[in-house]
């Protein structure tokens, strides 16, 4: 069940892809986490005019070229969202939304940036009736009412899963094209959540622009998880991970690259930093 | 040694001077990582604290009583009163320090 590698790379944007390629080329084993379709930010760009060697390349073509490069380097993508990272002193343990655990001696964080602010109460109640992982925590709310807030249709399977375990699911999709479900205990709402409050040891109140919902747990399923929630010891500044020229963070053996380290937000900057992060991680491992 | 809690019976844990309860489940990945650490600490801190293990599927009432909403979930009881809690996996040294803060 435990999957191990020398280096875990989180994120399949240009930063993570570049880091994985360099790390493997330097003889290290790599676990690359993210969507097999790669970062949506690559394919969504209409055309990219400043990527050397590929003038005016459409984003979809750049994504296809990245995928081809990964295949030829024999790098597989592990399609799992990392929800927690634990520094075990000398190695890192990573927990996926699938509830699978992974282990690596070095870590490269290339998760990009998605502007999202935590709801008031979210951080304080995390693990105490606010959860980022349906698979991990559903069973603790068996037979009770829960709320789910999600920013992409990818999470709809989690909603169905929760409905099998819980008595009622209030679903708050934050995207267009609201879904409908066959299960009668799922109610899809178009309210805008604003705040989460502790009601009692066993109940939370989700406040929206239209009303209040008392539930056992509020599941918040976002594409991005804040860096300092992933790994609380990480030094960040305004949502960006603080790194030096070698992409080193303040946590030993942990490196970061791409948009998550700060502006400018550019493909080539992300790919370049991915290269540096991988070389630094290789140097770190070889010095051990 | 770890005392297994059954039928949500918390009598022994509440009667202890200092009780450490590990709420976990078979299907929980991080719980499996924590188990050997909890085992080791129960040996190292023998006589200073009593260690208990509670499977949340078999002890739903106990889990509810302590508001266990995510696992692993380690609860520290001093003379039956909840004094501290750790949600999620923790490295051994940090957990040890957390417990030692309440030993006599
Ligand atoms: C519409 C648009 C057009 C753009 N045009 C240009 C341009 O012309 N030229 C240019 O240089 N730049 C452009 N950019 C900026 C560019 O997209 C970014 O700078 C670049 O994608 C950053 O790459 P990255 O690898 O750091 O992060 P991202 O591309 O954001 O990739 C991060 C990936 O990590 C995944 N991830 C996040 N958290 C986790 C987790 N916990 N577990 C697993 N996976 C996770 C995300 O889902 C995502 O797929 C454009 C951006 C947009 C939105």
């Amino acid at each position: 069940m435990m999957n191990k590698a020398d280096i875990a790379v989180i994120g399949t944007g240009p930063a993570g892809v570049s880091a994985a390629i360099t790390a493997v080329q330097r003889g290290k084993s790599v676990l690359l986490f993210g969507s097999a379709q790669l970062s949506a930010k690559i394919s969504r760009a209409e055309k990219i005019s400043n990527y050397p060697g590929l003038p005016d390349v459409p984003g979809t073509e750049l994504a296809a070229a990245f995928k081809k490069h990964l295949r030829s380097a024999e790098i597989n993508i592990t399609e799992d969202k990392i929800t927690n990272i634990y520094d075990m002193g000398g190695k890192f343990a990573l927990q996926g939304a699938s509830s699978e655990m992974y282990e690596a001696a070095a870590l490269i964080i290339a998760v990009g940036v998605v502007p999202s602010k935590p709801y008031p109460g979210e951080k304080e109640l995390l693990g105490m009736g606010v959860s980022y992982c349906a698979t991990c925590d559903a069973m603790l709310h068996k037979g009770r009412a829960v709320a789910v807030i999600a920013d992409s249709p990818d999470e709809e399977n989690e909603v169905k899963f929760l409905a099998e375990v819980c008595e009622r699911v209030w679903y708050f999709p934050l995207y267009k094209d609201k879904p409908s479900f066959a299960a009668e205990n799922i109610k899809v709402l178009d309210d805008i959540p604003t705040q989460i409050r502790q009601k009692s040891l066993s109940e939370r109140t989700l406040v929206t622009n239209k009303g209040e919902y008392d539930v056992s747990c509020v599941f918040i399923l976002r594409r991005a998880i804040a860096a300092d929630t992933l790994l609380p010891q990480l030094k960040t500044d305004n949502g960006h991970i603080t790194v030096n020229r070698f992409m080193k963070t303040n946590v030993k053996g942990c490196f970061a690259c791409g948009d998550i380290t700060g502006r400018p937000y550019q493909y080539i900057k992300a790919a370049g930093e991915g290269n540096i992060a991988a070389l630094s991680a290789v140097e770190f491992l070889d010095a051990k | 040694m770890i005392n297994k809690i059954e039928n949500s019976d918390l009598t022994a844990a509440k009667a202890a001077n200092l009780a450490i309860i590990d709420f976990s489940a078979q299907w929980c990945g991080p719980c499996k990582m924590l188990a050997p650490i909890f085992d080791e600490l129960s040996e190292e801190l023998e006589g200073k604290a009593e260690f208990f293990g509670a499977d949340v599927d078999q002890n739903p009432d106990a889990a509810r009583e302590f508001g266990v909403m995510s696992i692993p979930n380690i609860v520290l009881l001093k003379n039956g009163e909840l004094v501290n809690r750790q949600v999620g996996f923790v490295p051994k040294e940090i957990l040890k320090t957390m417990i030692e803060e309440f030993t006599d």
Side-chain angles (χ1 to χ4, degrees):
Chain A
M1 195 187 107
M2 186 67 99
N3 308 292
K4 289 188 193 180
D6 297 327
I7 304 175
V9 179
I10 310 171
T12 49
V17 168
S18 164
I21 290 170
T22 296
V24 165
Q25 195 203 355
R26 295 287 165 137
K28 301 297 174 202
S29 59
V30 164
L31 276 167
L32 175 60
F33 296 99
S35 161
Q37 294 312 310
L38 306 185
S39 159
K41 283 197 179 175
I42 307 174
S43 41
R44 246 192 261 139
E46 202 178 315
K47 103 183 166 205
I48 301 149
S49 38
N50 62 348
Y51 207 91
L54 300 168
D56 296 334
V57 62
T60 47
E61 272 178 36
L62 185 63
F66 280 167
K67 281 189 209 164
K68 196 171 154 208
H69 199 157
L70 287 173
R71 270 198 306 276
S72 71
E74 292 179 20
I75 298 167
N76 291 317
I77 293 171
T78 305
E79 288 211 86
D80 203 350
K81 184 166 80 184
I82 301 301
T83 56
N84 271 305
I85 303 170
Y86 304 107
D87 183 357
M88 315 265 292
K91 65 182 181 196
F92 295 94
L94 293 81
Q95 184 181 354
S98 65
S99 99
E100 196 81 20
M101 298 295 302
Y102 310 91
E103 207 180 282
L107 182 67
I108 297 179
I109 302 179
V111 293
V113 288
V114 177
S116 70
K117 261 210 195 125
Y119 296 105
E122 174 180 334
K123 285 204 157 169
E124 297 77 3
L125 292 171
L126 184 60
M128 295 291 297
V130 168
S131 172
Y132 295 155
C133 179
T135 324
C136 311
D137 295 334
M139 291 309 285
L140 295 157
H141 305 284
K142 198 170 168 180
R144 315 216 40 208
V146 298
V148 185
I149 304 171
D151 65 1
S152 100
D154 298 348
E155 311 293 354
E156 286 164 17
N157 277 333
E158 306 287 297
V159 176
K160 287 182 208 160
F161 167 65
L162 280 165
E164 287 166 20
V165 177
C166 303
E167 192 200 30
R168 163 162 294 286
V169 180
W170 305 102
Y171 186 42
F172 302 87
L174 301 179
Y175 46 89
K176 279 182 241 144
D177 300 327
K178 311 284 178 201
S180 58
F181 295 90
E184 276 173 17
N185 60 340
I186 305 175
K187 184 134 172 73
V188 181
L189 295 151
D190 61 2
D191 301 33
I192 298 162
T194 52
Q195 183 190 347
I196 304 159
R197 282 197 310 250
Q198 175 87 311
K199 190 174 182 203
S200 66
L201 201 54
S202 63
E203 262 188 321
R204 259 53 53 191
T205 303
L206 175 66
V207 185
T208 72
N209 59 341
K210 293 188 184 167
E212 298 195 351
Y213 303 82
D214 290 340
V215 293
S216 179
C217 186
V218 180
F219 289 89
I220 305 176
L221 311 176
R222 295 195 185 95
R223 276 162 298 175
I225 295 168
D228 55 356
T229 302
L230 270 182
L231 183 58
Q233 305 94 304
L234 267 185
K235 202 172 152 214
T236 59
D237 181 14
N238 241 323
H240 293 130
I241 301 175
T242 306
V243 292
N244 69 5
R245 273 203 64 226
F246 301 100
M247 303 298 127
K248 259 188 208 165
T249 70
N250 64 311
V251 176
K252 209 169 161 222
C254 174
F255 306 84
C257 51
D259 283 3
I260 190 65
T261 69
R263 289 174 200 282
Y265 296 159
Q266 293 272 288
Y267 297 110
I268 192 67
K269 178 260 192 190
E273 287 191 354
N275 167 267
I276 303 173
L279 292 175
S280 297
V282 170
E283 190 182 338
F284 165 78
L285 291 173
D286 289 347
K288 278 222 287 191
Chain B
M1 193 194 66
I2 293 166
N3 305 287
K4 203 168 154 202
I5 289 180
E6 273 166 301
N7 304 317
S8 291
D9 182 3
L10 296 161
T11 323
K14 285 182 180 166
N17 177 280
L18 179 61
I20 323 295
I21 313 175
D22 174 21
F23 287 94
S24 66
Q26 288 297 325
W27 41 264
C28 157
C31 298
K32 291 202 186 94
M33 268 173 35
L34 192 62
I37 293 176
F38 202 70
D39 253 338
E40 284 168 32
L41 286 179
S42 76
E43 302 294 333
E44 287 170 31
L45 296 172
E46 203 188 332
K48 292 184 175 166
E50 288 181 44
F51 288 73
F52 298 85
D55 185 306
V56 291
D57 292 327
Q58 264 129 55
N59 299 281
D61 294 337
R64 202 148 287 178
E65 179 173 345
F66 286 107
V68 174
M69 296 291 153
S70 182
I71 51 174
N73 201 308
I74 293 178
V75 169
L76 276 67
L77 302 185
K78 184 94 182 159
N79 301 316
E81 292 285 319
L82 195 152
V83 286
N84 207 349
R85 180 201 300 273
Q86 164 64 36
V87 183
F89 176 85
V90 263
K92 184 175 168 187
E93 288 314 310
I94 295 177
L95 184 56
K96 191 171 182 182
T97 313
M98 236 177 97
I99 296 170
E100 281 176 334
E101 199 184 315
F102 296 99
T103 53
D104 299 319

